[in-house]
Amino acid sequence: MQDHSLYLKLINNFFDIEKKVLQKTEMQPLMRNIDRMKATFEEMGYIIRNPKGEGYSETRTDCEASIVGESTESLVITDVIKPIVYWRIGEILGIVQQGIVLVEAAEASKKEKKGWFGK
């Protein structure tokens, strides 16, 4: 079995850079380079998946989650610390890294986005 540890370090650092670029409008021109890097990782067999915004339940095995808040009903992934990484060999796809995520109740997530005055 192949040791993925060095590639995962590169992928996780790349993912952090991508998150920072997406937050700054003046850095948006870098997205073309980021897309090229993603394509290179895919050529190497790695598929990087950001599950932000997806639903979460305790039966989900592709993520390790920390719950933000007290409610455990209708959980949604609100932040991704590390992405889910798959490795493809031919038609076989296996997980090599679980995503590390923060989750919170869907209602709490909506309230946070509205701001102080519910707008």
Side-chain angles (χ1 to χ4, degrees):
M1 176 165 234
Q2 181 171 339
D3 180 16
H4 300 279
S5 60
L6 290 176
Y7 292 111
L8 290 175
K9 285 181 184 180
L10 285 170
I11 288 168
N12 289 326
N13 280 301
F14 163 75
F15 183 76
D16 284 340
I17 291 168
E18 181 183 31
K19 280 175 51 176
K20 291 173 184 172
V21 166
L22 288 171
Q23 292 174 354
K24 305 267 185 197
T25 55
E26 67 271 10
M27 297 179 82
Q28 290 301 309
L30 294 175
M31 284 308 297
R32 183 171 151 189
N33 299 89
I34 287 173
D35 289 340
R36 287 181 181 167
M37 290 175 69
K38 278 184 189 176
T40 301
F41 283 122
E42 286 186 18
E43 286 177 30
M44 295 167 54
Y46 292 95
I47 296 161
I48 305 164
R49 192 159 146 259
N50 182 345
K52 186 173 182 177
E54 295 179 8
Y56 180 82
S57 71
E58 291 180 12
T59 59
R60 190 167 178 164
T61 60
D62 60 353
C63 295
E64 288 184 33
S66 293
I67 299 173
V68 177
E70 296 178 23
S71 178
T72 57
E73 299 294 321
S74 301
L75 296 173
V76 175
I77 297 172
T78 56
D79 193 17
V80 179
I81 310 304
K82 289 186 178 182
I84 303 166
V85 181
Y86 298 95
W87 190 46
R88 180 187 307 270
I89 301 177
E91 295 298 314
I92 300 170
L93 191 65
I95 191 165
V96 292
Q97 175 177 278
Q98 289 179 305
I100 307 294
V101 300
L102 299 178
V103 300
E104 64 183 292
E107 290 302 313
S109 177
K110 287 179 188 176
K111 288 177 188 175
E112 178 181 302
K113 290 178 184 174
K114 287 182 180 178
W116 287 95
F117 300 104
K119 294 181 181 177

